[in-house]
């Protein structure tokens, strides 16, 4: 039973390019969360999605960032016109129910984005 | 922005020593606290889910306690082993959909 799959593991983009990060939740999990870890900082919440719905995007920067979780396929975190400050590790987590209060998150291995 | 403080930031112990570290969080509107173990090059793995004041959880040599009134949780490791070397994260929720993560305690167990 595969866990949460994220790809790519490492992504290098030049300033101004687009970055697409993919996350396939664990089998049976319908809730996806994206977190970002900036250098020397803890994991920071970005967005919470269910299939075809954004439930909470209060942690997303207002511009250039978007997320989706389509009916078919993985969840995508998209960053347009990347800047150096977007360089970070982006982690996806999934849970079987609304809010991982009783279950804990199952995390993917992360995508390390480097903007050059 | 809610602050979750973990201390110490890093810790080196000898194999066989017992150790503990702290997670401090705002004591009002508590909803849940999680502990995660994060080994280098892997993903964080859930250790404990704690929701009630006074909760004590145990998994093998690792245990955790929770005091929601004063806003802290302790993680204990008895008889540390080299394979316990990892970063231990706590995450706190007050409701809503997000957890607030600390920056972790990095534990190195020296054989």
């Amino acid at each position: 039973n595969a866990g949460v799959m994220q790809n790519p593991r490492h992504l290098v983009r030049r300033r101004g390019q687009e970055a697409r990060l993919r996350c396939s939740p664990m089998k049976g999990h319908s809730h996806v969360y994206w977190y970002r870890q900036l250098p020397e900082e803890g994991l920071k919440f970005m967005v919470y999605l269910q299939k075809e719905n954004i439930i909470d995007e209060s942690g997303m920067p207002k511009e250039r960032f978007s997320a989706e979780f389509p009916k078919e396929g993985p969840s995508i975190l998209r960053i347009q016109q990347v800047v150096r400050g977007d360089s970070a590790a982006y982690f996806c987590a999934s849970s079987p129910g609304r809010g991982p209060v009783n279950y804990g998150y199952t995390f993917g291995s992360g995508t390390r984005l480097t903007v050059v | 922005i809610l602050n979750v403080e973990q201390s110490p930031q890093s810790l080196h112990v000898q194999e066989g020593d017992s150790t503990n570290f702290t997670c401090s969080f705002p004591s009002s509107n508590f909803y849940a606290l999680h502990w995660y173990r994060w080994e280098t090059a892997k993903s964080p793995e859930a250790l404990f889910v704690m929701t009630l004041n006074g909760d004590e959880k145990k998994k093998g040599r690792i245990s955790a306690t929770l005091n929601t009134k004063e806003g802290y949780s302790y993680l204990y490791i008895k008889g540390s082993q080299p394979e316990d070397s990892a970063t231990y994260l706590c995450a706190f929720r007050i409701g809503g959909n997000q957890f607030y993560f600390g920056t972790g305690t990095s534990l190195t167990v020296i054989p």
Side-chain angles (χ1 to χ4, degrees), chain A:
Chain A
N1 185 13
V4 177
M5 305 300 293
Q6 286 188 252
N7 66 82
R9 289 293 297 271
H10 300 276
L11 182 61
V12 179
R13 284 286 178 265
R14 294 188 185 280
R15 279 180 296 169
Q17 289 185 318
E18 179 179 286
R20 279 184 177 236
L21 288 60
R22 293 174 186 78
C23 168
S24 296
M26 193 164 174
K27 189 175 180 181
H29 288 190
S30 56
H31 299 247
V32 166
Y33 307 78
W34 285 93
Y35 279 77
R36 175 167 68 170
Q37 185 182 35
L38 293 167
E40 308 300 323
E41 293 188 17
L43 291 163
K44 296 282 197 296
F45 171 80
M46 298 183 77
V47 63
Y48 162 40
L49 310 106
Q50 294 179 36
K51 286 282 186 184
E52 300 183 280
N53 280 309
I54 297 174
I55 307 300
D56 182 348
E57 56 182 348
S58 58
M60 288 277 269
K62 297 293 180 218
E63 296 177 350
R64 301 187 297 106
F65 284 71
S66 62
E68 62 176 8
F69 189 13
K71 190 175 179 182
E72 302 291 337
S75 174
I76 306 283
L77 180 68
R78 184 179 173 209
I79 311 171
Q80 294 178 290
Q81 298 174 323
V82 295
V83 301
R84 287 229 169 99
D86 298 332
S87 295
Y90 292 82
F91 287 90
C92 171
S94 69
S95 70
R98 177 182 170 81
V101 175
N102 295 320
Y103 316 106
Y105 288 124
T106 300
F107 277 94
S109 298
T111 293
R112 276 140 187 92
L113 172 66
T114 302
V115 179
V116 297

Side-chain angles (χ1 to χ4, degrees), chain A residues 35 45 48 91 100-101 105 108, chain B residues 31 34 36 38 43 49 93 99:
Chain A
Y35 279 77
F45 171 80
Y48 162 40
F91 287 90
V101 175
Y105 288 124
Chain B
Y31 196 76
H34 293 180
Y36 291 85
W38 194 357
S43 45
V49 174
R93 180 178 169 190
F99 275 82

Side-chain angles (χ1 to χ4, degrees), chain B residues 2-93:
Chain B
L2 292 174
N3 256 352
V4 180
E5 302 283 342
Q6 289 191 249
S7 63
Q9 193 171 5
S10 66
L11 194 54
H12 289 71
V13 301
Q14 291 291 137
E15 182 176 352
D17 286 352
S18 295
T19 187
N20 65 85
F21 17 96
T22 307
C23 172
S24 302
F25 51 87
S27 55
S28 55
N29 301 317
F30 176 85
Y31 196 76
L33 186 120
H34 293 180
W35 280 99
Y36 291 85
R37 181 169 177 274
W38 194 357
E39 288 182 76
T40 304
K42 295 187 178 178
S43 45
E45 173 196 345
L47 280 175
F48 300 117
V49 174
M50 309 182 84
T51 55
L52 297 174
N53 184 42
D55 258 357
E56 291 189 27
K57 298 277 175 109
K58 189 174 179 188
K59 187 184 282 191
R61 295 177 291 98
I62 305 177
S63 59
T65 60
L66 178 66
N67 184 325
T68 61
K69 295 189 180 195
E70 295 182 36
Y72 64 83
S73 175
Y74 292 140
L75 189 81
Y76 300 90
I77 302 179
K78 187 177 175 183
S80 304
Q81 300 296 309
E83 58 265 29
D84 296 329
S85 297
T87 295
Y88 292 83
L89 293 175
C90 73
F92 160 78
R93 180 178 169 190

